[in-house]
Each structure stands twice: as C-alpha cells, then as structure tokens.
Amino acid sequence: MLTAVPVPAVLRVTPGVATGALLLAPLAALPLGAVVGAILWGGAQTTVPALAVAVVALGVLALGTRALHLDGLSDVADGLTASYDRERSLAVMKSGTAGPAGVVAIVLVLGAQAAALATFVGDVRSAVVAGAAVCASRAALWITCATGVPPARPDGLGSTFTGRVPGWWTLLGWAGLAAAATLVHPWRGPLAVGLAALVVILLVGRAVRRFGGVTGDVYGAAIELALLTLLVALAGAWT
C-alpha cells in the first residue's frame, strides 16, 4: 500500500494487520526516503541544476509508490470541486479520471515540492533531512486513520484502515516527530512538524464535512500535503 517494493502478499487484512501497517508507515517509506536522499546528494556532485535534480527525485518517488498518493490528491481535489452533494462527490472520486481541479492540484503541489526540494540538493545532511521528510510525511496516516475519524463509505480502503490508530499513538507519535525535528533546527523543525499535522487535520475535517468521512484518496492527499508542508517549512532551516 505504501511502496512499490515487493513483499509477501497479505491474504487477509485483519484489524491487527491494518493497525500494524499504519503504525509502521514511516518505516515502510525508508527505502523511498533513502533513494530520494541519494539522488539529491548525487545530483549535488554534478553540474545538473538543483531544480532538475529535485524533479528527478520526485519522479522516482512517484514511481516508488506507483503514484498512488498523487492519484489520491487528484481525486480529492476533483471531489471537493465537483459538487456539494456527498454522493456525487464520492462518485467523482471513485471514477478514476482526473478532472481540471485534480490536474491543477497535482501541478501546484508537485511544483511547490520540487522548488522546496531543490534547496536540499547539497551535502549529506541536506539529503538525510529530505529523506527523513519523506518518511515523516507518512505519519499523516496516524491522523487520517485515528480513532474517531469515520470512513466515508462502508467499502473500500477507508473501511479497512480508518479508525485503526489509537488516539494516544497519534498524539505521542507526532510529538516524537516534533522532538526529533529539533535536530534539524531548534524551533523551525518542530514548527514544520506542527504545521504538517495542522494541514492534515484541516484536510480530514474538510473531508468529514463534505464526504461524511475519509477514503483511501484522502490518505494519499494527506501524505502529499504533509510532505509539501515539511519540505517548504524545513527548506534551508540549517543554513
């Protein structure tokens, strides 16, 4: 669900399996974070423009997830702009096609991510921070799937994973990320984590009001927006 890295098939997703997958989401993204960091560091050793290196890194990241999260971002944007009718919005999100709002959302988010990520093309520390941001962005699932957040549909990905993360884990997990971010910068690090959490909370609140709950598409949109927030807020924080 989180990467294209092949693993043994899980034939039955029990509540325990679903919860474990969500809690370990940032760790599951470690291979992707490592690849992104390697590309940024390697690109810094060449004369390739930093923005071009960042675009390549984001392209590889998209391949590493089969663009699943970007698809969610597109569908959520289309659903929010298609209609104020809940069922109509959910139908648009489930159709699988990208409308104008979805395309614009992807262009803007990827463009902003690339611009911010270009500032991480440099030394090893910069690359490590960028890779860590990729992993940390997956903690968005600790909010979208927290206890008390309802699924928008009785079927689909949302019904399987929504509400599986204990509230105490969500709070302690994000607090732990904020504490770890002090290693990047004593105040900008925790601020970046706090802003990312706030963005995800606002998205979840909007989804609950408009769709009646969250879906798998909301998961993907939350991850992409969390990554964007972290990259922008942390850009150049250690210079």
Side-chain angles (χ1 to χ4, degrees):
M1 184 178 72
L2 291 167
T3 73
V5 177
V7 295
V10 178
L11 300 180
R12 182 166 175 263
V13 181
T14 64
V17 169
T19 299
L22 293 167
L23 299 187
L24 296 175
L27 293 181
L30 275 174
L32 301 182
V35 170
V36 167
I39 292 174
L40 297 180
W41 179 82
Q45 315 310 310
T46 70
T47 58
V48 177
L51 183 58
V53 174
V55 169
V56 171
L58 288 176
V60 172
L61 181 59
L63 287 175
T65 60
R66 296 191 182 94
L68 183 64
H69 309 317
L70 290 170
D71 178 69
L73 174 67
S74 173
D75 286 344
V76 168
D78 285 333
L80 288 174
T81 57
S83 170
Y84 283 105
D85 179 75
R86 172 181 177 273
E87 295 302 327
R88 170 60 179 162
S89 293
L90 289 174
V92 168
M93 292 168 64
K94 199 172 183 179
S95 68
T97 58
V103 172
V104 170
I106 289 180
V107 170
L108 291 178
V109 170
L110 281 179
Q113 286 179 351
L117 194 60
T119 67
F120 292 83
V121 178
D123 58 13
V124 172
R125 182 183 182 186
S126 302
V128 169
V129 171
V134 170
C135 296
S137 67
R138 274 53 181 172
L141 297 177
W142 297 347
I143 297 175
T144 61
C145 302
T147 303
V149 177
R153 303 188 187 97
D155 59 350
L157 189 64
S159 64
T160 303
F161 291 92
T162 301
R164 301 296 183 189
V165 179
W168 63 265
W169 178 277
T170 301
L171 293 174
L172 291 181
W174 276 91
L177 291 178
T182 60
L183 299 176
V184 178
H185 191 277
W187 64 265
R188 281 187 62 178
L191 177 63
V193 172
L195 288 174
L198 177 61
V199 167
V200 176
I201 290 171
L202 292 175
L203 174 65
V204 170
R206 184 64 172 164
V208 171
R209 290 191 299 272
R210 283 294 309 278
F211 310 139
V214 297
T215 66
D217 288 328
V218 177
Y219 299 172
I223 288 173
E224 291 296 338
L225 292 178
L227 177 60
L228 170 62
T229 305
L230 289 170
L231 292 178
V232 170
L234 290 174
W238 52 91
T239 59

